[in-house]
Amino acid sequence: MTKPPGSEGSPSDGHGESSSDRWSDLDRPPLNATALRRALIREGGLWGDVRIVPRTGSTNSDLVALATDEKADEGVVLVAEEQNAGRGRLDRQWTAPARSGLFFSVLLRPTGVPVERWGWLPLLTGVAVATALSRVAGVDTALKWPNDLLVTVGGEERKTGGILAERAGNDAVVVGIGINVTLREDELPVPGAGSLALAGATTTDRDTVLRAVLRSLEQWYGKWRAVAGDPAASGLQETYAAGCATLGRVVRAELPGDTSITGEAVAVDGDGRLVLATEEGVQQPVGAGDIVHLRPA
């Protein structure tokens, strides 16, 4: 298999870091690729390969390129110890100190699921990540529609992670996940950011967190595919709504074309769209846009 972009550079010791800088921050040890593969790859399971690179621009871009060139199968996980061109929605930049978080992408080929239901994949991923963080790190993680992960720091809601799904060719989707794990207050890129450590996580061991997230994602993806992506039959729609911090709030949806809609977020419909009840009495579904929380639930 061709090495993924970003794997070039200094020799790696198998942990995703060169031997010279592996222990440059003792509070942030490198991921253990061998242990992760042993824990996650099994016969009949979703995950087929876990690749760790010391640094890259964007794991999503790298994995989309590999999938498009048919150089990666479903179940490849690409993790970077450091990203310098990570992207969120609307091409926003996502950067963080090396080994301070989890920055990874997974390749999914949801055959048997109608393409119109693929829009549920980022919401499914959000549910999987929130479930895992609650279980393994004791952190109550809420979901901001469509793809932000929120934690509470000092009574304040802060973004600690995000999800970005991209099509790769005709039959594949690459889902990128970024989670701030050990970011300190003085390292936060913006005032509204947070991290698992700042939220009082019971563990900030990135190997442990990554294993939990990928196992949870495998479970939810399997349930969803087993019912051809039906969000109701899989329990996904109900579970997402239960953990969505956007519902019940007055929000402003900033839409493409410099337009916006303000209303109460009342539901997530069967297509994964956020439904707003406006002052005019109209229920308006929003399929894409930036959501600003205007009032607590």
Short mmCIF file of all heavy atoms in Angstrom, two decimals, residues 2-8 51 53-72 76 78-80 82-85 87 103 105 107 166 168 174:
data_model
loop_
_atom_site.label_atom_id
_atom_site.label_comp_id
_atom_site.label_asym_id
_atom_site.label_seq_id
_atom_site.Cartn_x
_atom_site.Cartn_y
_atom_site.Cartn_z
N THR A 2 0.58 2.22 -0.81
CA THR A 2 1.36 3.45 -0.88
C THR A 2 1.30 4.19 0.45
O THR A 2 0.25 4.27 1.08
CB THR A 2 0.82 4.36 -1.99
OG1 THR A 2 0.83 3.63 -3.20
CG2 THR A 2 1.67 5.61 -2.14
N LYS A 3 2.43 4.75 0.87
CA LYS A 3 2.42 5.54 2.10
C LYS A 3 1.53 6.75 1.93
O LYS A 3 1.55 7.40 0.90
CB LYS A 3 3.84 6.03 2.43
CG LYS A 3 4.77 4.95 2.94
CD LYS A 3 5.97 5.55 3.60
CE LYS A 3 6.77 6.45 2.67
NZ LYS A 3 7.97 6.99 3.30
N PRO A 4 0.75 7.07 2.96
CA PRO A 4 -0.10 8.25 2.87
C PRO A 4 0.73 9.51 2.86
O PRO A 4 1.82 9.55 3.45
CB PRO A 4 -0.96 8.17 4.14
CG PRO A 4 -0.17 7.35 5.09
CD PRO A 4 0.60 6.38 4.26
N PRO A 5 0.26 10.57 2.20
CA PRO A 5 0.97 11.84 2.24
C PRO A 5 1.17 12.27 3.69
O PRO A 5 0.31 12.06 4.54
CB PRO A 5 0.02 12.80 1.51
CG PRO A 5 -0.81 11.92 0.65
CD PRO A 5 -0.96 10.65 1.40
N GLY A 6 2.32 12.88 3.95
CA GLY A 6 2.58 13.34 5.31
C GLY A 6 3.44 12.35 6.07
O GLY A 6 3.91 12.64 7.16
N SER A 7 3.66 11.13 5.51
CA SER A 7 4.47 10.15 6.22
C SER A 7 5.95 10.29 5.91
O SER A 7 6.78 9.66 6.52
CB SER A 7 4.00 8.73 5.87
OG SER A 7 4.11 8.51 4.48
N GLU A 8 6.26 11.16 4.95
CA GLU A 8 7.66 11.37 4.62
C GLU A 8 8.31 12.21 5.72
O GLU A 8 7.65 12.91 6.47
CB GLU A 8 7.80 12.11 3.29
CG GLU A 8 7.25 11.35 2.09
CD GLU A 8 5.76 11.42 1.97
OE1 GLU A 8 5.16 12.28 2.63
OE2 GLU A 8 5.19 10.59 1.25
N ARG A 51 -3.11 3.98 10.52
CA ARG A 51 -1.85 4.59 10.09
C ARG A 51 -1.63 5.88 10.87
O ARG A 51 -2.53 6.72 10.93
CB ARG A 51 -1.87 4.90 8.59
CG ARG A 51 -2.28 3.72 7.73
CD ARG A 51 -2.35 4.12 6.26
NE ARG A 51 -2.93 3.07 5.45
CZ ARG A 51 -3.09 3.14 4.13
NH1 ARG A 51 -2.72 4.24 3.48
NH2 ARG A 51 -3.63 2.14 3.46
N VAL A 53 0.90 9.20 11.24
CA VAL A 53 1.99 9.99 10.66
C VAL A 53 2.37 11.10 11.64
O VAL A 53 1.53 11.57 12.41
CB VAL A 53 1.59 10.59 9.30
CG1 VAL A 53 1.31 9.48 8.29
CG2 VAL A 53 0.38 11.50 9.42
N PRO A 54 3.63 11.50 11.65
CA PRO A 54 4.06 12.53 12.60
C PRO A 54 3.34 13.86 12.38
O PRO A 54 2.94 14.52 13.34
CB PRO A 54 5.57 12.67 12.34
CG PRO A 54 5.96 11.41 11.65
CD PRO A 54 4.76 10.97 10.86
N ARG A 55 3.18 14.24 11.13
CA ARG A 55 2.52 15.52 10.84
C ARG A 55 2.07 15.52 9.39
O ARG A 55 2.62 14.81 8.55
CB ARG A 55 3.46 16.71 11.10
CG ARG A 55 4.72 16.72 10.31
CD ARG A 55 5.69 17.78 10.81
NE ARG A 55 6.03 17.58 12.20
CZ ARG A 55 6.97 16.73 12.64
NH1 ARG A 55 7.65 15.98 11.76
NH2 ARG A 55 7.23 16.59 13.91
N THR A 56 1.05 16.30 9.13
CA THR A 56 0.56 16.45 7.76
C THR A 56 -0.26 17.73 7.70
O THR A 56 -0.49 18.39 8.73
CB THR A 56 -0.29 15.24 7.33
OG1 THR A 56 -0.53 15.31 5.92
CG2 THR A 56 -1.62 15.19 8.06
N GLY A 57 -0.68 18.08 6.49
CA GLY A 57 -1.54 19.25 6.36
C GLY A 57 -2.93 18.94 6.87
O GLY A 57 -3.44 19.57 7.79
N SER A 58 -3.57 17.92 6.27
CA SER A 58 -4.93 17.55 6.64
C SER A 58 -5.12 16.06 6.41
O SER A 58 -4.91 15.58 5.29
CB SER A 58 -5.94 18.34 5.80
OG SER A 58 -7.21 17.73 5.82
N THR A 59 -5.51 15.33 7.45
CA THR A 59 -5.76 13.89 7.27
C THR A 59 -6.93 13.67 6.32
O THR A 59 -6.94 12.69 5.57
CB THR A 59 -6.04 13.21 8.62
OG1 THR A 59 -7.14 13.85 9.26
CG2 THR A 59 -4.82 13.25 9.52
N ASN A 60 -7.91 14.57 6.33
CA ASN A 60 -9.03 14.41 5.40
C ASN A 60 -8.57 14.50 3.96
O ASN A 60 -8.92 13.67 3.12
CB ASN A 60 -10.10 15.48 5.67
CG ASN A 60 -11.35 14.91 6.34
OD1 ASN A 60 -11.24 14.05 7.21
ND2 ASN A 60 -12.51 15.39 5.95
N SER A 61 -7.78 15.52 3.66
CA SER A 61 -7.29 15.69 2.28
C SER A 61 -6.46 14.49 1.85
O SER A 61 -6.58 14.00 0.72
CB SER A 61 -6.45 16.97 2.18
OG SER A 61 -7.25 18.11 2.41
N ASP A 62 -5.60 13.99 2.75
CA ASP A 62 -4.76 12.85 2.42
C ASP A 62 -5.59 11.60 2.14
O ASP A 62 -5.35 10.88 1.17
CB ASP A 62 -3.78 12.56 3.57
CG ASP A 62 -2.78 13.68 3.78
OD1 ASP A 62 -2.69 14.57 2.92
OD2 ASP A 62 -2.08 13.65 4.82
N LEU A 63 -6.59 11.36 2.99
CA LEU A 63 -7.38 10.14 2.84
C LEU A 63 -8.35 10.24 1.66
O LEU A 63 -8.60 9.25 0.97
CB LEU A 63 -8.13 9.85 4.13
CG LEU A 63 -8.62 8.41 4.35
CD1 LEU A 63 -7.52 7.39 4.07
CD2 LEU A 63 -9.15 8.23 5.77
N VAL A 64 -8.87 11.42 1.38
CA VAL A 64 -9.71 11.61 0.19
C VAL A 64 -8.88 11.29 -1.06
O VAL A 64 -9.36 10.62 -1.98
CB VAL A 64 -10.27 13.05 0.12
CG1 VAL A 64 -10.83 13.34 -1.27
CG2 VAL A 64 -11.37 13.24 1.16
N ALA A 65 -7.65 11.76 -1.09
CA ALA A 65 -6.79 11.49 -2.25
C ALA A 65 -6.53 9.99 -2.41
O ALA A 65 -6.59 9.45 -3.52
CB ALA A 65 -5.47 12.25 -2.10
N LEU A 66 -6.24 9.31 -1.31
CA LEU A 66 -6.00 7.88 -1.39
C LEU A 66 -7.25 7.12 -1.84
O LEU A 66 -7.18 6.21 -2.66
CB LEU A 66 -5.55 7.36 -0.01
CG LEU A 66 -4.14 7.73 0.43
CD1 LEU A 66 -3.92 7.32 1.88
CD2 LEU A 66 -3.09 7.07 -0.46
N ALA A 67 -8.41 7.52 -1.31
CA ALA A 67 -9.66 6.84 -1.68
C ALA A 67 -10.00 7.08 -3.13
O ALA A 67 -10.44 6.16 -3.84
CB ALA A 67 -10.79 7.32 -0.77
N THR A 68 -9.81 8.31 -3.59
CA THR A 68 -10.13 8.65 -4.98
C THR A 68 -9.24 7.87 -5.94
O THR A 68 -9.68 7.46 -7.02
CB THR A 68 -9.96 10.16 -5.20
OG1 THR A 68 -10.81 10.87 -4.29
CG2 THR A 68 -10.32 10.55 -6.62
N ASP A 69 -7.99 7.64 -5.53
CA ASP A 69 -7.06 6.87 -6.36
C ASP A 69 -7.19 5.37 -6.12
O ASP A 69 -6.37 4.60 -6.63
CB ASP A 69 -5.62 7.31 -6.07
CG ASP A 69 -5.34 8.73 -6.53
OD1 ASP A 69 -6.12 9.23 -7.37
OD2 ASP A 69 -4.37 9.33 -6.05
N GLU A 70 -8.18 4.97 -5.32
CA GLU A 70 -8.42 3.56 -4.99
C GLU A 70 -7.20 2.92 -4.36
O GLU A 70 -6.87 1.75 -4.62
CB GLU A 70 -8.88 2.79 -6.23
CG GLU A 70 -10.20 3.31 -6.79
CD GLU A 70 -10.73 2.46 -7.94
OE1 GLU A 70 -10.00 1.57 -8.41
OE2 GLU A 70 -11.87 2.70 -8.36
N LYS A 71 -6.53 3.66 -3.47
CA LYS A 71 -5.37 3.15 -2.75
C LYS A 71 -5.68 2.92 -1.28
O LYS A 71 -4.77 2.74 -0.47
CB LYS A 71 -4.20 4.12 -2.89
CG LYS A 71 -3.66 4.24 -4.32
CD LYS A 71 -2.52 5.22 -4.41
CE LYS A 71 -1.98 5.32 -5.83
NZ LYS A 71 -0.88 6.31 -5.95
N ALA A 72 -6.97 2.94 -0.94
CA ALA A 72 -7.37 2.70 0.44
C ALA A 72 -8.73 2.03 0.45
O ALA A 72 -9.62 2.41 -0.31
CB ALA A 72 -7.40 3.99 1.24
N VAL A 76 -9.92 2.21 6.72
CA VAL A 76 -8.60 2.80 6.98
C VAL A 76 -8.78 4.00 7.91
O VAL A 76 -9.66 4.83 7.72
CB VAL A 76 -7.92 3.24 5.67
CG1 VAL A 76 -6.67 4.07 5.96
CG2 VAL A 76 -7.55 2.03 4.84
N LEU A 78 -6.58 7.16 9.41
CA LEU A 78 -5.34 7.93 9.26
C LEU A 78 -5.28 8.97 10.38
O LEU A 78 -6.17 9.82 10.48
CB LEU A 78 -5.29 8.61 7.89
CG LEU A 78 -4.06 9.49 7.62
CD1 LEU A 78 -2.77 8.67 7.70
CD2 LEU A 78 -4.18 10.18 6.27
N VAL A 79 -4.24 8.88 11.20
CA VAL A 79 -4.09 9.76 12.36
C VAL A 79 -2.82 10.58 12.19
O VAL A 79 -1.78 10.06 11.79
CB VAL A 79 -3.98 8.95 13.67
CG1 VAL A 79 -4.08 9.87 14.89
CG2 VAL A 79 -5.02 7.85 13.73
N ALA A 80 -2.91 11.86 12.51
CA ALA A 80 -1.72 12.73 12.49
C ALA A 80 -1.45 13.22 13.91
O ALA A 80 -2.36 13.67 14.60
CB ALA A 80 -1.92 13.91 11.56
N GLU A 82 0.24 15.75 14.42
CA GLU A 82 0.15 17.21 14.29
C GLU A 82 -0.39 17.54 12.91
O GLU A 82 0.03 16.93 11.92
CB GLU A 82 1.53 17.86 14.48
CG GLU A 82 1.53 19.37 14.38
CD GLU A 82 2.91 19.98 14.57
OE1 GLU A 82 3.90 19.21 14.60
OE2 GLU A 82 3.00 21.21 14.69
N GLN A 83 -1.34 18.47 12.85
CA GLN A 83 -1.87 18.97 11.57
C GLN A 83 -1.57 20.46 11.47
O GLN A 83 -1.74 21.18 12.44
CB GLN A 83 -3.40 18.79 11.51
CG GLN A 83 -3.87 17.42 11.13
CD GLN A 83 -5.35 17.40 10.79
OE1 GLN A 83 -5.75 16.71 9.87
NE2 GLN A 83 -6.16 18.13 11.52
N ASN A 84 -1.14 20.89 10.29
CA ASN A 84 -0.91 22.33 10.13
C ASN A 84 -1.87 22.97 9.13
O ASN A 84 -1.79 24.16 8.87
CB ASN A 84 0.55 22.62 9.73
CG ASN A 84 0.99 21.84 8.51
OD1 ASN A 84 0.19 21.57 7.61
ND2 ASN A 84 2.25 21.45 8.47
N ALA A 85 -2.77 22.16 8.58
CA ALA A 85 -3.77 22.72 7.66
C ALA A 85 -5.09 21.99 7.82
O ALA A 85 -5.81 21.77 6.85
CB ALA A 85 -3.28 22.64 6.21
N ARG A 87 -8.92 21.29 8.53
CA ARG A 87 -10.04 22.11 8.09
C ARG A 87 -11.32 21.72 8.82
O ARG A 87 -11.58 20.56 9.07
CB ARG A 87 -10.27 21.93 6.58
CG ARG A 87 -9.18 22.52 5.73
CD ARG A 87 -9.39 22.20 4.26
NE ARG A 87 -9.26 20.77 4.01
CZ ARG A 87 -10.21 20.02 3.50
NH1 ARG A 87 -11.40 20.54 3.22
NH2 ARG A 87 -10.02 18.74 3.27
N PHE A 103 -6.41 13.98 15.94
CA PHE A 103 -6.71 14.52 14.62
C PHE A 103 -6.66 13.34 13.65
O PHE A 103 -5.58 12.86 13.31
CB PHE A 103 -5.71 15.60 14.24
CG PHE A 103 -5.31 16.48 15.39
CD1 PHE A 103 -4.03 16.41 15.93
CD2 PHE A 103 -6.24 17.35 15.97
CE1 PHE A 103 -3.68 17.21 17.01
CE2 PHE A 103 -5.89 18.14 17.04
CZ PHE A 103 -4.61 18.08 17.57
N SER A 105 -8.88 10.79 10.45
CA SER A 105 -9.94 10.61 9.46
C SER A 105 -10.14 9.13 9.22
O SER A 105 -9.20 8.33 9.34
CB SER A 105 -9.58 11.30 8.14
OG SER A 105 -9.42 12.70 8.34
N LEU A 107 -12.14 6.20 6.54
CA LEU A 107 -12.72 6.00 5.22
C LEU A 107 -13.87 5.00 5.32
O LEU A 107 -13.70 3.88 5.79
CB LEU A 107 -11.66 5.46 4.25
CG LEU A 107 -12.16 5.09 2.84
CD1 LEU A 107 -12.77 6.30 2.14
CD2 LEU A 107 -11.03 4.49 2.01
N GLU A 166 -16.55 14.36 3.90
CA GLU A 166 -16.33 14.72 2.50
C GLU A 166 -16.49 13.49 1.61
O GLU A 166 -16.04 12.40 1.96
CB GLU A 166 -14.91 15.28 2.30
CG GLU A 166 -14.62 16.56 3.07
CD GLU A 166 -13.22 17.08 2.77
OE1 GLU A 166 -13.02 17.65 1.69
OE2 GLU A 166 -12.34 16.89 3.62
N ALA A 168 -15.61 11.06 -1.39
CA ALA A 168 -14.36 10.66 -2.03
C ALA A 168 -14.72 9.71 -3.17
O ALA A 168 -15.00 8.53 -2.93
CB ALA A 168 -13.43 9.98 -1.03
N VAL A 174 -15.14 10.25 3.48
CA VAL A 174 -14.09 10.40 4.49
C VAL A 174 -14.64 11.29 5.60
O VAL A 174 -15.12 12.39 5.33
CB VAL A 174 -12.81 11.00 3.89
CG1 VAL A 174 -11.82 11.37 5.00
CG2 VAL A 174 -12.17 10.00 2.92
#
